[in-house]
Amino acid sequence: GYSLEIAAGQVVALCGPSGSGKSTIIGLLQRFYDPQAGTLMLDGVDIRTLNLRWLRQQIGVVGQEPVLFEGTVAENIGYGREGATEGEIEEAAQQANAHGFIINDLGDGYATQVGLRGGRLSGGQKQRVAIARALVRKPAIMLLDEATSALDNESEKIAALDEIMSKMKRTTITIAHRLSTIRSADKIAVISGGQVVE
Ligand SMILES: Nc1ncnc2c1ncn2[C@@H]1O[C@H](COP(=O)(O)OP(=O)(O)OP(=O)(O)O)[C@@H](O)[C@H]1O
Ligand SMILES: [Mg+2]
């Protein structure tokens, strides 16, 4: 019953209760697992027939709990694409609304050490670095799994995702918990019990 068609360039918001199957779709699209029945198609082609490495190169992901690694901000963004130049890293940071705080609020700018698991950055800063890492891939498809904690009043986090979503002119699937994110989508799919119900 999980039937959903997404046109190229569209932003689709998935919403629904916890455990309804929203993150599962993000996993299926990246082929972390395959469906036991039915197919996922990209431009009409069953994704199981596509080269796995190529498929994943088309996709940028920001997970429900973004993970940063010990190292610099630049390294954490550049990690999104092998051989990314300094210019490309900065461009991605700008698109992710991260360039400002990197330059102004972090002691060493792009050379700032983020600490173990990014512990020296705030939640919202971590999320924006993770978004920049996804964007540096210049992905055809963006997958955003908004943290449930965005329900809390973490304003900087909220601003980041909303701004980026509205600027983004690429195919985007966003798992949204906040009305403002959902409202700005081209299409809204309500997931319940593993099905698209509305
Ligand atoms: N690897 C797995 N193997 C078996 N069942 C799983 C697996 N991952 C998730 N599930 C189950 O699939 C259902 C959907 O999980 P999913 O992570 O897609 O929910 P969700 O809609 O993203 O929820 P939340 O809003 O809490 O993030 C849940 O009942 C979950 O227990
Ligand atoms: Mg989830």
Side-chain angles (χ1 to χ4, degrees), residues 9-129:
Q10 254 188 354
V11 175
V12 174
L14 304 183
C15 51
S18 186
S20 59
K22 303 180 300 294
S23 297
T24 299
I25 272 300
I26 302 249
L28 283 165
L29 280 167
Q30 296 172 87
R31 289 203 64 209
F32 292 156
Y33 30 74
D34 287 324
Q36 289 168 306
T39 46
L40 285 97
M41 302 209 280
L42 187 62
D43 291 338
V45 177
D46 185 339
I47 61 167
R48 282 172 295 194
T49 68
L50 300 171
N51 177 284
L52 190 60
R53 192 176 161 81
W54 179 86
L55 174 70
R56 290 183 180 161
Q57 277 168 352
Q58 310 309 308
I59 298 174
V61 197
V62 181
Q64 201 158 4
E65 287 154 27
V67 177
L68 298 194
F69 301 100
E70 196 166 17
T72 66
V73 172
E75 281 165 356
N76 269 281
I77 297 173
Y79 191 73
R81 193 163 60 86
E82 231 174 294
T85 65
E86 257 177 56
E88 288 167 334
I89 288 169
E90 194 177 310
E91 188 190 338
Q94 255 152 0
Q95 288 170 0
N97 200 20
H99 181 72
F101 88 77
I102 293 169
I103 291 296
N104 299 320
D105 304 338
L106 303 182
D108 292 320
Y110 284 88
T112 305
Q113 293 286 333
V114 300
L116 254 181
R117 298 178 64 87
R120 286 193 211 147
L121 303 187
S122 75
Q125 289 172 337
K126 262 190 283 201
Q127 191 177 41
R128 279 181 276 174
V129 169

